[in-house]
Amino acid sequence: MARKMLIDGELSKPNEEETHYDFDLFVIGAGSGGVRAARFSANFGAKVAICELPFHPVSSEVIGGVGGTCVIRGCVPKKILVYGASFRGEIEDAKNYGWELNDKVDFNWKKLLHKKTEEIVRLNGIYKRLLTNAGVKLYEGEGKIVGPNEVEVTQLDGTKLCYSAKHILIATGSRAQRPTIPGQELSITSDEALSLDELPKRAVILGGGYIAVEFASIWNGMGVSVDLFFRKELPLRGFDDEMRAVVARNLEARGINLHPRTNLSELVKTEDGIKVITDHGEELTADVVLFATGRAPNTKRLNLEVVGVELDKMGAVKVDEYSQTNIPSIWAIGDVTNRMNLTPVALMEGTCFAKTVFGGQPSKPDYRDIPCAVFCLPSLSVVGLSEEQATDQAEGDILVFTSTFNPMKNTISGRQEKTIMKLVVDAETDKVLGASMCGPDAPEIMQGIAVALKCGATKAQFDCTVGIHPSAAEEFVTMRSVTRRIAAGNKPKTNL
């Protein structure tokens, strides 16, 4: 059956004689975005195939797994380790709540690692069943594009299979990268960090992004001595500066050694471990060195240059607002496009692709007011504009409302760790432009706040909402006093 594609309300004109293809859609990459696009396209009646590399917890150019980075070596296993690390603080806090605990509490890393691996294997199976139940044909092997409508799959035994498809979707994600310094081969990335055979006693982490900060919290919570090195004055560049400062204070208060404005220049193998040399000439020794310095799109082995698909200088696939490349039959979603590299965003892009190409519903991904979280301890979560972004973009005055308080749980436990919340508001329209929180359960709270921002909520609507008492979340609807007003044109510059 011939299918027509809607773009901006206009039907594409099919050829006089419809070409026969093996599939309406062939997806390369069965991560979150690829699986979503395949399933939803099949639900619209398309004949769909998808290919993915064989499963393994640690990825390479020829190893992957159905479920992709998020499920196998990203968000899911990381969150499991965050839960594991959080119990150390919970045990400490329990003492003042009447729990009599032995002074020595042992942590079994291998047991947690085993349970984590069991879970990702289970999820890998679930993703495969989701594809099967949707009628999607799954091929295990490496896919590459050999023509505008042709995909070649190299199976595990080396056999090459070729299939034609009316549309090809690239959803191959990204992989962690190591900076090129002497001794870089002695380091690990987040892939290996999630599957270490032994828990280190001393860890050095290079990077100031959310992966670096999260692993610093995870290892610290498991009793590891952690040194975190990053180039700026504060970690988490791109987040609200006030929140970044709070996260930094919390990391230090929990015993993590921060090294701002510092890079690593060399790693050397020694009898005692790995000698780490900084660009300031400082030296220290670690059992593990984690490089969390960014990721690169997985495009090198896709044969895109032969087909003529345009890439940017980072190697990411260039697409338009509908996720279509410069080759009309080839599309791309997720991290491989380097737009907004978050799993829920890849899911949104996959949904929009299916609606546009097979559902007759032209749909552009909407990148406004997308919430996100950093699962450090305690966590940070944000939605909308930071104070700096709002100040930079606003034409009028900006109102900033903040609340800093000691969480109720801490009043008994004695933990000295403040929670901070912030609302950024357009003074003229009263519209809430951004919200952020650093404290326990921040992501759970921020998901609800994100709905309000997506609906265009005003500060007055926040104020007239009845809070849930006693809860931390109620602070978002009880911030009545303006902390500061930033006049239009008064844009403070920061290099933090």
Side-chain angles (χ1 to χ4, degrees):
M1 177 182 176
R3 289 175 176 81
K4 301 175 182 179
M5 184 177 70
L6 275 167
I7 295 292
D8 287 336
E10 295 184 3
L11 281 170
S12 63
K13 294 182 175 64
N15 297 328
E16 290 286 334
E17 296 182 6
E18 186 72 21
T19 304
H20 172 75
Y21 298 101
D22 296 323
F23 296 98
D24 298 311
L25 171 66
F26 200 108
V27 183
I28 302 177
S32 299
V35 169
R36 170 64 64 87
R39 291 173 53 223
F40 279 36
S41 296
N43 289 340
F44 282 125
K47 184 180 181 183
V48 182
I50 191 168
C51 69
E52 177 55 70
L53 297 167
F55 170 85
H56 193 276
V58 180
S59 70
S60 72
E61 291 183 333
V62 293
I63 291 175
V66 175
T69 296
C70 177
V71 170
I72 299 171
R73 62 193 70 88
C75 325
V76 172
K78 172 203 70 183
K79 187 71 179 291
I80 291 171
L81 297 193
V82 169
Y83 282 135
S86 68
F87 283 104
R88 182 186 180 193
E90 294 291 324
I91 291 169
E92 292 172 355
D93 292 350
K95 294 176 182 178
N96 278 350
Y97 277 91
W99 289 92
E100 302 293 340
L101 301 169
N102 296 327
D103 291 337
K104 182 173 174 57
V105 178
D106 293 327
F107 171 65
N108 189 329
W109 163 253
K110 288 185 180 295
K111 183 173 183 178
L112 177 58
L113 185 66
H114 175 69
K115 300 300 289 186
K116 181 270 298 183
T117 302
E118 281 187 336
E119 178 61 10
I120 64 174
V121 169
R122 185 184 73 88
L123 292 172
N124 173 253
I126 286 176
Y127 269 69
K128 288 180 178 179
R129 288 195 294 276
L130 287 172
L131 291 169
T132 300
N133 292 342
V136 177
K137 177 66 176 176
L138 171 62
Y139 295 96
E140 190 170 58
E142 182 179 13
K144 70 177 182 179
I145 300 174
V146 293
N149 299 96
E150 191 170 5
V151 173
E152 179 186 272
V153 179
T154 303
Q155 299 186 109
L156 302 185
D157 62 1
T159 305
K160 296 183 187 296
L161 305 173
C162 285
Y163 299 97
S164 61
K166 186 172 184 180
H167 300 281
I168 298 171
L169 177 65
I170 303 168
T172 49
S174 62
R175 287 184 58 211
Q177 298 295 297
R178 292 179 173 90
T180 53
I181 65 170
Q184 62 167 328
E185 70 279 359
L186 300 174
S187 69
I188 63 172
T189 68
S190 55
D191 279 14
E192 295 86 5
L194 289 163
S195 299
L196 289 174
D197 289 333
E198 301 288 341
L199 186 67
K201 294 181 179 178
R202 305 160 297 178
V204 163
I205 301 174
L206 175 63
Y210 67 94
I211 294 175
V213 169
E214 288 171 342
F215 271 103
S217 282
I218 288 168
W219 281 337
N220 169 261
M222 295 174 178
V224 179
S225 173
V226 179
D227 287 83
L228 177 62
F229 294 81
F230 45 94
R231 291 180 296 174
K232 295 292 185 177
E233 185 65 33
L234 293 171
L236 300 175
R237 182 166 58 95
F239 285 84
D240 186 282
D241 284 349
E242 189 171 11
M243 294 295 161
R244 295 169 66 199
V246 171
V247 169
R249 286 199 301 271
N250 288 342
L251 293 176
E252 286 190 304
R254 291 204 175 205
I256 297 169
N257 303 309
L258 302 188
H259 303 264
R261 298 190 182 278
T262 307
N263 211 336
L264 304 187
S265 58
E266 187 178 0
L267 305 181
V268 180
K269 181 67 176 176
T270 69
E271 290 184 1
D272 189 36
I274 302 171
K275 182 168 71 172
V276 178
I277 304 172
T278 75
D279 57 356
H280 300 315
E282 300 166 325
E283 295 183 4
L284 67 159
T285 302
D287 303 308
V288 164
V289 178
L290 169 63
F291 283 171
T293 50
R295 301 178 65 86
N298 268 328
T299 54
K300 288 183 180 179
R301 297 168 64 92
L302 291 174
N303 205 40
L304 299 181
E305 66 284 351
V306 174
V307 186
V309 174
E310 292 182 357
L311 306 177
D312 68 13
K313 61 182 180 180
M314 296 292 293
V317 180
K318 296 172 70 173
V319 294
D320 64 13
E321 55 193 352
Y322 289 96
S323 300
Q324 189 175 33
T325 72
N326 61 302
I327 306 299
S329 58
I330 301 177
W331 309 69
I333 60 169
D335 287 13
V336 76
T337 65
N338 199 31
R339 286 177 284 184
M340 185 175 285
N341 299 336
L342 296 168
T343 297
V345 173
L347 295 174
M348 171 181 67
E349 291 169 355
T351 300
C352 290
F353 162 82
K355 287 181 176 180
T356 298
V357 179
F358 298 108
Q361 309 166 49
S363 303
K364 305 174 186 177
D366 182 1
Y367 299 99
R368 297 172 299 169
D369 298 327
I370 292 176
C372 64
V374 181
F375 291 96
C376 47
L377 297 171
S379 52
L380 167 68
S381 193
V382 303
V383 64
L385 301 181
S386 67
E387 181 177 339
E388 292 74 31
Q389 290 169 331
T391 303
D392 186 60
Q393 297 178 24
E395 297 181 359
D397 291 3
I398 293 295
L399 304 179
V400 179
F401 297 80
T402 61
S403 176
T404 302
F405 57 94
N406 198 30
M408 184 176 181
K409 182 180 178 182
N410 291 0
T411 61
I412 302 299
S413 70
R415 180 173 295 278
Q416 299 299 308
E417 210 163 58
K418 300 286 188 182
T419 287
I420 181 169
M421 297 177 173
K422 176 186 286 190
L423 291 176
V424 179
V425 179
D426 184 299
E428 181 179 355
T429 65
D430 198 43
K431 183 178 179 180
V432 179
L433 303 176
S436 50
M437 172 183 174
C438 184
D441 302 318
E444 308 297 337
I445 294 170
M446 198 56 61
Q447 183 67 78
I449 301 294
V451 176
L453 263 66
K454 202 69 176 176
C455 294
T458 63
K459 182 62 169 63
Q461 289 170 325
F462 270 69
D463 292 344
C464 70
T465 300
V466 176
I468 299 172
H469 184 75
S471 71
E474 68 180 313
E475 289 291 323
F476 271 117
V477 297
T478 58
M479 289 189 272
R480 301 284 191 264
S481 302
V482 177
T483 303
R484 53 188 168 272
R485 185 184 189 108
I486 304 172
N490 182 20
K491 299 178 180 179
K493 293 188 176 180
T494 178
N495 190 33
L496 300 176

